[in-house]
Amino acid sequence: SQTIHQWPATLVQPVGSPLSLECTVEGTSNPNLYWYRQAAGRGLQLLFYSVGIGQISSEVPQNLSASRPQDRQFILSSKKLLLSDSGFYLCAWSTLAGGIREQFFGPGTRLTVL
Amino acid sequence: AQKITQTQPGMFVQEKEAVTLDCTYDTSDPSYGLFWYKQPSSGEMIFLIYQGSYDQQNATEGRYSLNFQKARKSANLVISASQLGDSAMYFCAMREGPEVTFGTGTKLQVIP
């Protein structure tokens, strides 16, 4: 069965510090991978998605970046965090293989920038 | 322009009653998919139901059904026989190719 892991679960970082959030998927190959951000009480904002290794599509220009160094690994990074980067970050995967249509979400990372 | 619009920030429903959560979408792609997810206070995203743009029948999953009106570009979620555990945020989403975008959500509260 497929599983998706995200870490850390919670993170408190000072403004201006770097960020690295990691997401890994098990039990599937060549998934589409996604990073979303959810501000408190708000909807999900699509940040990045990837259809393959090294292929990143950015939805919102900002101080965040994403990388996919391996097929089932998706990393969200920042060189200098802003207060506005606080939120709940969700990684997700999807595939059209085998009739699977929906996205599967990780448990999320709650980031607080102080 | 917003691709997914959920116009109801919050809804109340009496336990055991049915409730409809609205969702409209905007796309020029003939092939797309529509989803509904539930997000309880724990933060996890729970998949509820899926409707493909070429599906002839409205999707149903247990107490959940999707009222798909293609010409109106609407994909409302109907929850029958509401339960207290249905209290949560509900998100409508649309897939166009690999890209999936979400609406702003509706907070549903079920009243005993």
Side-chain angles (χ1 to χ4, degrees), chain B residues 18-21 36 49 62-67 75-80:
Chain B
V19 63
T20 298
L21 306 183
W36 278 92
I49 198 165
R63 293 186 299 112
Y64 305 107
S65 60
L66 199 152
N67 184 2
N76 299 339
L77 177 70
V78 180
I79 305 175
S80 62

Side-chain angles (χ1 to χ4, degrees), chain A residues 47-113:
Chain A
L47 301 175
F48 302 95
Y49 70 90
S50 171
V51 299
I53 296 173
Q55 301 178 62
I56 308 294
S57 295
S58 174
E59 291 298 303
V60 183
Q62 53 203 332
N63 68 319
L64 298 173
S65 62
S67 62
R68 184 169 178 175
Q70 300 180 42
D71 181 44
R72 288 168 287 179
Q73 184 184 30
F74 205 23
I75 298 171
L76 183 69
S77 304
S78 174
K79 292 182 179 178
K80 288 185 178 182
L81 283 168
L82 306 173
L83 287 174
S84 57
D85 291 325
S86 293
F88 188 49
Y89 288 81
L90 286 158
C91 180
W93 72 273
S94 72
T95 179
L96 292 178
I100 300 173
R101 292 163 166 170
E102 69 266 31
Q103 286 179 308
F104 298 91
F105 284 82
T109 296
R110 292 198 183 275
L111 172 65
T112 303
V113 183

Side-chain angles (χ1 to χ4, degrees), chain A residues 34 36 38 59 101 103, chain B residues 37 39 50 95 98-100:
Chain A
Y34 306 81
Y36 291 90
Q38 185 178 25
E59 291 298 303
R101 292 163 166 170
Q103 286 179 308
Chain B
Y37 285 84
Q39 187 182 42
Y50 169 84
R95 173 205 296 276
E99 185 175 337
V100 182

Side-chain angles (χ1 to χ4, degrees), chain B residues 5-110:
Chain B
T5 303
Q6 293 182 254
T7 57
Q8 306 154 314
M11 291 277 287
F12 290 91
V13 64
Q14 202 76 36
E15 192 178 7
K16 299 180 184 177
E17 297 291 313
V19 63
T20 298
L21 306 183
D22 294 342
C23 173
T24 57
Y25 60 92
D26 183 27
T27 181
S28 56
D29 192 335
S31 178
Y32 53 90
L34 297 158
F35 306 81
W36 278 92
Y37 285 84
K38 172 184 177 181
Q39 187 182 42
S41 57
S42 60
E44 63 182 309
M45 293 290 286
I46 302 169
F47 167 74
L48 297 178
I49 198 165
Y50 169 84
Q51 180 85 43
S53 58
Y54 294 120
D55 293 344
Q56 297 295 314
Q57 304 279 347
N58 284 350
T60 59
E61 291 285 349
R63 293 186 299 112
Y64 305 107
S65 60
L66 199 152
N67 184 2
F68 181 44
Q69 297 189 42
K70 198 169 182 177
R72 294 186 179 183
K73 293 188 175 178
S74 74
N76 299 339
L77 177 70
V78 180
I79 305 175
S80 62
S82 297
Q83 302 172 356
L84 295 178
D86 293 335
S87 293
M89 284 290 290
Y90 288 80
F91 293 99
C92 180
M94 177 172 67
R95 173 205 296 276
E96 298 168 284
E99 185 175 337
V100 182
T101 52
F102 283 73
T104 52
T106 296
K107 184 173 183 178
L108 177 67
Q109 296 184 67
V110 181

